[in-house]
Amino acid sequence: MTEARTTYKRVLLKISGEALMGDQAYGLHPPTVQRIAREVQSVHELGVEICMVIGGGNIFRGLSGSAQGMERSTADYMGMLATVMNALAMQSALEGLGIHTRVQSAIPMDTVSEPYIRRRAVRHLEKKRVVIFAAGTGNPYFTTDTAATLRASEMHCEAIFKGTKVDGVYDKDPKKFPDAKRYDKITYDDVLQQHLAVMDASAIALARDNSLPIVVFSLDEPGGFRGILAGQGTYTIVRG
């Protein structure tokens, strides 16, 4: 009954590394990781196939490292390793809730994760395992936003769910401007032309080329992820 009411059958959840920090200045906040894991669990219980991409900004940011004189490629690889740490933390939290989870890394590290193999990842999803894609695309100069869009396209996901601190896409920062306007729907081209902070331009363009909707919602809203999949809640959908 519940599964039949679900809007989507396979989705990718993209969250930033900063989402795992809680109120800390950096690092992982275990209660926050557990809370997000429970949000994923609530959707998993609907029968939805879920894969995830988690950023690494709570541990290391490649761009800021590069700005301080570090060679860009090296800084980006360090950021990719940070995403593996976050993926392992989320895997531990999900498996603590009884959800079978696999981490697949674009940078081979067989001791802690599987290598990224598309067919294997699809098979995991079909078996209702949560798959966490780590290490971005495995290449410097590409963000985890782009990695999320790439993996969602390869997995034939029906949508990307971008969990943020706000309940959708606004024309300006709602925390700084009380008159900020929230969009219920917006096109990929409008996001690019207005330079809206949804995902980076490469990710938006890739989503547009593959007709992949992006649902932007608040990760801080309890039950928000599950609510949207049941056709409720407040969010912005980006599509053509």
Side-chain angles (χ1 to χ4, degrees):
M1 290 287 290
T2 307
E3 187 173 343
R5 290 173 49 243
T6 304
T7 308
Y8 300 101
K9 295 298 182 184
R10 179 181 293 174
V11 301
L12 184 141
L13 174 63
K14 167 63 171 69
I15 60 177
S16 66
E18 288 87 348
L20 306 182
M21 293 192 308
D23 295 328
Q24 300 176 154
Y26 62 88
L28 288 160
H29 183 238
T32 300
V33 176
Q34 289 287 340
R35 179 181 61 79
I36 294 173
R38 287 192 295 271
E39 291 287 318
V40 174
Q41 179 189 35
S42 70
V43 171
H44 186 265
E45 290 171 347
L46 293 174
V48 178
E49 297 171 3
I50 306 166
C51 47
M52 299 179 66
V53 169
I54 307 172
N58 57 318
I59 298 172
F60 187 85
R61 263 201 182 283
L63 282 174
S64 62
S66 178
Q68 294 170 20
M70 186 177 291
E71 197 272 325
R72 172 67 187 271
S73 294
T74 299
D76 281 357
Y77 280 121
M78 292 175 69
M80 291 179 215
L81 296 178
T83 71
V84 177
M85 296 171 69
N86 286 338
L88 293 175
M90 183 58 64
Q91 178 184 42
S92 178
L94 288 169
E95 292 191 336
L97 296 172
I99 299 172
H100 295 295
T101 308
R102 298 289 186 274
V103 172
Q104 288 201 349
S105 171
I107 298 176
M109 46 184 79
D110 296 344
T111 306
V112 298
S113 66
E114 295 180 358
Y116 171 67
I117 299 173
R118 187 186 67 83
R119 289 179 180 274
R120 181 181 291 178
V122 169
R123 186 65 179 140
H124 287 322
L125 291 173
E126 290 171 348
K127 291 183 176 180
K128 304 302 181 184
R129 297 166 181 159
V130 173
V131 181
I132 306 174
F133 298 114
T137 65
N139 301 288
Y141 296 93
F142 289 93
T143 66
T144 51
D145 280 345
T146 302
T149 309
L150 175 63
R151 296 292 183 243
S153 300
E154 290 179 303
M155 294 301 107
H156 300 294
C157 291
E158 295 169 5
I160 297 174
F161 277 70
K162 176 74 183 286
T164 68
K165 294 287 186 182
V166 293
D167 60 356
V169 179
Y170 288 77
D171 60 351
K172 48 192 171 183
D173 190 343
K175 294 183 178 179
K176 296 179 181 178
F177 302 95
D179 62 338
K181 173 189 173 184
R182 189 182 69 80
Y183 300 100
D184 288 327
K185 298 178 182 178
I186 191 168
T187 67
Y188 305 111
D189 289 339
D190 284 340
V191 168
L192 292 171
Q193 290 166 9
Q194 297 179 42
H195 302 286
L196 300 176
V198 178
M199 289 179 156
D200 65 74
S202 297
I204 295 294
L206 184 59
R208 179 188 61 192
D209 293 347
N210 289 280
S211 301
L212 185 62
I214 303 168
V215 179
V216 183
F217 71 106
S218 173
L219 200 62
D220 293 335
E221 182 68 29
F225 187 22
R226 180 186 175 106
I228 294 168
L229 282 155
Q232 304 163 358
T234 303
Y235 58 92
T236 299
I237 186 164
V238 182
R239 64 192 337 161

